[in-house]
Amino acid sequence: MKVRRVVLGALAGTILSFVWINLSWVAFDLHGKSIRQFPDEPAIAAALKAQNVERGIYVIPAMTVDYDDEAGMAAHLEDNRRGPYMMGVVRSGSLEEAPAMGPFMARGIAIQLVSALIAAVLLAAAASNLNFIGRFMFVLMLGVFAGVTGHLPNWNWWWFPVDHTVVSIADSIIGWAIAGLAMAAIIKPTSTTQPTPKPAVAAEKAAA
């Protein structure tokens, strides 16, 4: 397997997967309906600013007791039962200027490039035993694996909504299915001509 094929396949996978990400978020708005908005957003923002918290991930109700504290755990479970529950990222403070898209796009491309390189190296290692359909399915299953392991745990442990989870998994599968078509066509075994083995000589057979 030539390194050039792996590099070209990774670049093709990067471009196609990144294009799909932008289409799914902007053109098709697949994620829009699964991301809600607070009815009184300014009030929530003001409350967060009043807390003066550091940047990070926050959970309500927070787990502030040890597991062996039976009374504390009972109170925590009761808080969870009553609700509300929330998990979210908080960036406290203000920015000097509006965020530019350039750095976000550059980091996004870099992330897809690293992902595609990993997929390309794995595909190259398995390609010698696979035809085009097999190579395509290999990349597709990497997308399935990434979607399932990347999003189902959040649904299971952190109450992420079903619609958001399903769309996120589907997004991963579709993106890598598109990338897989190109990668499977580019990353393929190098054709080598093997010498045809000569048949056993009749005399040797007779002597045996």
Side-chain angles (χ1 to χ4, degrees):
M1 178 67 64
K2 293 184 177 179
V3 175
R4 183 174 63 89
R5 290 183 180 272
V6 175
V7 173
L8 291 176
L11 290 176
T14 299
I15 294 171
L16 291 174
S17 61
F18 186 73
V19 167
W20 168 253
I21 288 175
N22 284 273
L23 288 175
S24 68
W25 278 91
V26 180
F28 302 144
D29 193 24
L30 297 182
H31 300 264
K33 293 181 179 179
S34 67
I35 299 177
R36 273 63 168 184
Q37 183 178 4
F38 287 110
D40 191 354
E41 185 174 306
I44 301 297
L48 289 174
K49 289 182 179 180
Q51 293 284 319
N52 194 28
V53 295
E54 297 179 356
R55 176 178 179 177
I57 297 176
Y58 290 85
V59 176
I60 299 175
M63 181 69 172
T64 58
V65 296
D66 295 328
Y67 286 101
D68 56 359
D69 182 354
E70 294 184 4
M73 282 299 300
H76 175 71
L77 293 174
E78 178 61 19
D79 289 340
N80 267 287
R81 187 192 66 79
R82 285 198 310 263
Y85 170 87
M86 190 191 79
M87 178 184 183
V89 178
V90 176
R91 179 187 58 78
S92 58
S94 59
L95 300 176
E96 295 181 358
E97 58 184 22
M101 284 300 297
F104 286 100
M105 299 290 281
R107 290 193 295 266
I109 293 173
I111 291 169
Q112 293 308 116
L113 176 60
V114 172
S115 303
L117 278 172
I118 294 172
V121 171
L122 293 175
L123 177 60
S128 60
N129 298 319
L130 301 173
N131 57 17
F132 174 81
I133 298 298
R135 296 193 300 274
F136 165 73
M137 290 299 299
F138 186 93
V139 179
L140 174 63
M141 292 309 296
L142 289 178
V144 174
F145 175 81
V148 169
T149 193
H151 298 287
L152 274 183
N154 291 328
W155 164 81
N156 182 47
W157 296 105
W158 299 110
W159 300 86
F160 274 38
V162 173
D163 57 350
H164 175 80
T165 303
V166 170
V167 168
S168 298
I169 294 175
D171 205 4
S172 175
I173 295 173
I174 295 172
W176 288 106
I178 296 172
L181 291 172
M183 296 177 74
I186 296 171
I187 303 175
K188 55 186 178 181
T190 304
S191 58
T192 55
T193 304
Q194 300 291 338
T196 303
K198 295 181 180 180
V201 181
E204 293 177 348
K205 287 185 177 181

